Amino acid sequence: MRRRRRRLDGKPSIAYARRMDNQRERVYSLHRTIFTRVALLLTGTTLLAALLFVLFAVFPVAKRIAESQFNEAVQRTDAALSALFSPAEDLLRVSRRWLEGAAPDIDSPAAFNRLFQAIIDSKANVTSVVGGTSTGQGWLLLQRPDGGWLNRLSDLPRWGKRHQMVEHALDGQTQTYWKELDYDPRQRPWYRGAIENRGGDSMHWTAPYAFLSTGEAGVTVSTMVPLKDGRDLVVGFDLKLSDLSQKTMLSTVGKRGLVTVIGDDERVLALPRRPAAVSEAAWLGQVLQPAQDLGLPPLRDALAAWRDAGKPADAITSFASGGSRWLLSARQHRLGQQTLWILALAPEADFSPSWLKVSVVLGGATLFVLAIALLLTHALAQRLARPLETLARDSERIGQLDFLPVERRQSRVAEIRQLQLSQETMRQTLQEYQHELAGQAGSLRSQVAALEATRADLRASERRLRCFYDLGLVGLAITSPEQRWVHTNDYICRLLGYAEDQLHQMSWAQLTHADDLAADLEQFRAMLAGEIDGYEIEKRFVSHAGQVVPTRLVARCVRKPDRSVDFIAMMIDDLSERKRTAERIHYLANFDALTGLPNRSQLNERMKSSLGVARRNQQSVALMFLDLDHFKDINDSLGHSVGDALLIELATRLRQVLRDEDTVSRLGGDEFILSLYGADARGASRIAQKLLDVIAQPYRIEQHDLHVTASIGIALFPADGSDLETLSRNADSAMYRAKQEGRHGYRFFTSEMQARSARHLKLISALRQAIELEQLQLHYQPQVLMKGGRIIGAEALLRWTHPTLGAVSPGEFIPAAEDSGLIVAIGEWVIRQAVRQGKRWIEAGLEPLIIAVNLSAVQFRHPDLPDLITRILDEEQLPPEYLELELTEGVAMHDPPGAIAVMNRLHARGVRMSIDDFGTGYSSLSYLKKFKVYKLKIDQSFVRDISTDAEDKAIVSAIIRMAQTLGLRTIAEGVETAGQLAFLADEACDEVQGYYYSKPLPADEFERFVRTHAARRR
């Protein structure tokens, strides 16, 4: 902007003010400003009054018109729904009285037709009548489109999946035939709903669906009738929904509105008005489709707005569709337990009044009022603005340093007159100051120029000094003899955490660690006294954040020509990284990197000291070996990061339980060793139980709530060992005993454990040669068919007789084989021998038998199992259908998806699979039906007392019924008495096995037993 300048006393002038009329901003006169603002206020007030009139007088009228038309359309549709559904309930009540507690004859469709044919003839919306009993009988009467009739009769106990179909033609001819159908009336929704809502005169309405018999959309209303013979009979009417759509398609709201009926799931039950481009048949086929899929944008937008509003009932919802506003009304219609919604929607414009007339009248009145108000505003603004505009022109002249007096007319307004007097006083005062300022201006300019030159010199000097100090990679500083910081580079500021100006207000002694200050001051004073020229030490500073910073300090004294001290130059090097590296190396050598607990090396040192003190003081030391139960499952399922976080939390809890003088160390994985100085057996028991309780508390790791337990083995010094190696080995043995006895517990080391451990190692050593030395043998126990008593299979059972160990129980050597990994080789030998023996019996003339072989968990999880089975069957030439692999329930449920994959591969090769010891595990029925098994073996623990124990009877009966429902066979093991056999026969168990027929026999004795048994049966 240009400034107006004036010279005083021949010197350059200073710009004191800017002319307002030379500004680039657009300005307005006071008269115009007053007039414009008051006019805008009046205009806004008038328009607001008009808007409020429209909102509170005109719009409510439109809304009431919309509500009236919506209510009328909804009431028509609600009446149509009542007319469609209510008579069906009355007919059902009449049907209950007709039946009189007796079911129609299943072998005579005419008995059922006489009751219900007249009802279907009289009610066009009733398409069919269905019925079903609790024992599996079912009836259907359906009127066909040609006027004929169709019966479907079901009797599951007698006919199974075969259903009798009877067609009645109009000419009186009848045709009867049978049809295979997967149909059970008890599984239909109309039957289950009536049974669940039984009692009194209750009716059950199903959700809308497509009828199985005709494909039409509709609902079924049913009721339960108790029969005199104790059975339940359910009768239901199928009601089609097509007539309801005829009502809603003709209903209108406004000029372009729609009416429809939907369910809670937003499927269409009654269609709105048909689009012109869609045929009536195609449109009626949209019933039961999602409403938003009808291709009607207003309906789709209405549903979205209705959902966003929380699905209000009996309220009008506004929404946008196709660039215009629409209104929606929703009303509930209760149909039994079902909720139907009647929706009516129409454009808002259909109910709006004639805005043209409203606008003309309202606009004319508004313009008339505004014209009068503006005339009055113009006169008032002119009267107020004239004296103020005169004042403004005089102020502009004073701003241009023109202080000459002027003549003006005095205003009649008191405030304006006061302004005029104040302006005159200000003009006179400024005129006096003008002369004084002119004399001082030259002096000030000279002083400013000198200050600018001095500042430039100082900045150049500071830049040179700063460049010097910031060149190095170490701290450089200049201090005074009084120990004050004079100059410091950025390195020292960063190192100590202070700004440079803060450091210069302090001494370096204030920041020196208290333990290092005395030595530093001694060297500093010797340097000031001239005894030394400088010194070098390692010392620690304390930073602004309170952190201790280790450094190497090199100080040199700079003296003046008279040998007095000028300043001290210092170089400071940060040793923090070197210190941390040394500490980290020491830490990693003695502590676990994850948990921070002592490692095996640190434990050895501490145990040497602890055992030495205990030995001198004749004290005891308890050593605990702690291992988490099933920790691998957490790593495998949730990842190692979650497992590591769990171990860190566990280490914290362990430290909190133990005393300071005790030691807890981590060996690796989930194994920990704890040393308790001075603890005897009683104290160790108390601490062990406390540890188990603390470990079992829940862990919150990320978003997971985890629960883990631990097993603890305890060995005591000096009774169980005199060094760490012996004590840890014995505590490890005790820990494994705790795991074998159920986990989540602790055990003390005993001599019996030593003997058991030695026995376990001896068994494993002997098992490695058992196959080569032919010490293993298979015995076979017959499996007998309940119907007819024929032997249809044999279970192969492994036996081991050792020359020195004698007959070893499978319960002892099978776990040893699994622990040592020998189970895979032994399992292959068992399968091969069983398959080979089955082939020999067939060649010897015996009827082919199914050979059942048990699989261990290790075998089943081996990836090559299916290929191994196939190879053995091919080599021994035994058809795969004669081999049955038994898998325990626990093994199958350990990894259901993996088990399903293996079973599918074996099933594809033709090998049979069965579930052994069923009922003792935790099977999921959803997985059981996916397993490719054909037989369930009922565990002998349930069979043993079924003659006397009611609970065992109920369990066995439930297993058999479940298997029959799933299409599986059942076999009971451990049958030893005639009473057990009789009960299983009554319950329709398929097969049995046990000492009642025979104990497990060697192959030759088993062959003789089978031949003798077959001869007796003849």
Side-chain angles (χ1 to χ4, degrees), residues 1 189 210 251 299 393 502 527 717 948:
M1 297 182 181
S251 294
L299 180 57
R393 286 192 295 271
Q502 291 177 308
M527 183 176 62
F717 169 85
T948 57

Side-chain angles (χ1 to χ4, degrees), residues 687-915:
I687 296 298
Q689 186 59 52
K690 189 173 182 180
L691 288 170
L692 292 175
D693 295 340
V694 168
I695 293 171
Q697 293 176 4
Y699 297 80
R700 181 65 179 179
I701 308 298
E702 296 177 358
Q703 72 273 24
H704 308 288
D705 289 322
L706 305 179
H707 297 266
V708 297
T709 59
S711 299
I712 301 176
I714 307 173
L716 298 176
F717 169 85
D720 299 329
S722 59
D723 54 33
L724 174 61
E725 186 67 26
T726 305
L727 289 171
S728 62
R729 183 175 64 251
N730 292 339
D732 190 20
S733 299
M735 183 273 294
Y736 275 105
R737 171 59 63 86
K739 283 188 178 292
Q740 292 171 359
E741 295 181 0
R743 305 178 189 270
H744 188 39
Y746 64 89
R747 293 293 181 271
F748 283 92
F749 174 76
T750 63
S751 57
E752 180 269 336
M753 291 183 188
Q754 187 68 28
R756 178 182 289 269
S757 178
R759 167 81 173 179
H760 186 72
L761 293 175
K762 193 171 184 180
L763 286 177
I764 292 176
S765 177
L767 271 175
R768 297 186 187 279
Q769 300 177 348
I771 297 177
E772 297 178 3
L773 299 178
E774 298 182 353
Q775 296 172 356
L776 300 179
Q777 185 181 13
L778 290 183
H779 287 199
Y780 301 88
Q781 188 172 32
Q783 296 178 336
V784 182
L785 189 66
M786 289 292 289
K787 293 182 180 180
R790 180 169 58 90
I791 297 176
I792 62 171
E795 181 179 6
L797 301 170
L798 183 60
R799 298 293 184 263
W800 180 28
T801 303
H802 190 269
T804 58
L805 299 175
V808 184
S809 169
E812 185 179 11
F813 72 79
I814 292 297
E818 290 180 339
D819 292 343
S820 62
L822 296 173
I823 192 65
V824 176
I826 294 176
E828 180 179 354
W829 181 87
V830 170
I831 295 173
R832 185 176 296 278
Q833 293 300 316
V835 169
R836 182 175 298 167
Q837 186 60 56
K839 178 64 175 178
R840 287 174 182 170
W841 284 334
I842 294 175
E843 293 173 348
L846 289 183
E847 185 176 351
L849 300 176
I850 298 174
I851 307 299
V853 179
N854 289 284
L855 287 180
S856 73
V858 178
Q859 284 179 278
F860 184 70
R861 295 170 191 152
H862 198 282
D864 295 334
L865 176 65
D867 295 335
L868 173 66
I869 298 298
T870 302
R871 186 169 63 253
I872 292 175
L873 289 172
D874 292 342
E875 292 174 357
E876 302 299 334
Q877 297 183 353
L878 179 72
E881 61 267 21
Y882 296 131
L883 175 61
E884 175 184 326
L885 299 179
E886 292 186 0
L887 189 65
T888 63
E889 188 178 5
V891 172
M893 293 308 300
H894 176 76
D895 179 17
I900 292 172
V902 175
M903 290 182 184
N904 288 342
R905 294 177 62 188
L906 291 171
H907 180 75
R909 289 165 165 81
V911 178
R912 301 171 183 260
M913 293 291 296
S914 64
I915 299 296

Side-chain angles (χ1 to χ4, degrees), residues 145-349:
D146 60 0
W149 299 86
L150 173 66
N151 281 113
R152 181 185 67 223
L153 302 176
S154 307
D155 193 343
L156 298 180
R158 292 193 300 163
W159 303 337
K161 294 185 178 181
R162 299 175 68 245
H163 300 265
Q164 186 178 12
M165 313 296 291
V166 182
E167 295 185 359
H168 306 274
L170 292 177
D171 56 5
Q173 293 184 0
T174 301
Q175 181 181 0
T176 302
Y177 57 91
W178 293 89
K179 189 173 183 180
E180 288 277 347
L181 293 173
D182 186 13
Y183 173 80
D184 185 347
R186 295 169 295 184
Q187 304 301 318
R188 303 301 296 169
W190 52 266
Y191 182 91
R192 294 199 307 270
I195 293 298
E196 292 172 358
N197 296 282
R198 64 193 304 161
D201 197 25
S202 64
M203 303 290 171
H204 172 72
W205 290 88
T206 66
Y209 68 104
F211 294 146
L212 180 65
S213 54
T214 64
E216 292 184 286
V219 297
T220 301
V221 57
S222 59
T223 186
M224 192 277 289
V225 181
L227 301 180
K228 296 177 181 179
D229 58 6
R231 295 181 297 161
D232 294 331
L233 171 65
V234 176
V235 179
F237 291 139
D238 294 335
L239 310 177
K240 60 183 180 180
L241 295 174
S242 57
D243 293 342
L244 182 59
S245 293
Q246 298 296 337
K247 300 284 186 182
T248 55
M249 288 168 59
L250 299 177
S251 294
T252 58
V253 181
K255 299 177 182 178
R256 296 171 291 166
L258 304 172
V259 179
T260 184
V261 180
I262 65 173
D264 258 346
D265 56 0
E266 299 186 5
R267 292 189 301 162
V268 177
L269 310 182
L271 292 163
R273 185 174 64 251
R274 175 174 57 87
V278 181
S279 66
E280 182 171 355
W283 186 244
L284 291 175
Q286 299 295 316
V287 177
L288 293 188
Q289 296 299 316
Q292 63 181 11
D293 295 343
L294 290 181
L296 300 176
L299 180 57
R300 182 176 60 251
D301 297 337
L303 289 173
W306 186 46
R307 285 193 296 268
D308 294 341
K311 294 189 175 181
D314 299 325
I316 293 181
T317 303
S318 177
F319 65 96
S321 179
S324 60
R325 303 298 301 176
W326 284 62
L327 299 177
L328 166 69
S329 175
R331 179 177 296 179
Q332 290 183 337
H333 181 90
R334 301 296 297 179
L335 185 61
Q337 295 80 14
Q338 311 296 325
T339 300
L340 308 183
W341 292 90
I342 304 172
L343 302 184
L345 57 151
E348 219 177 87

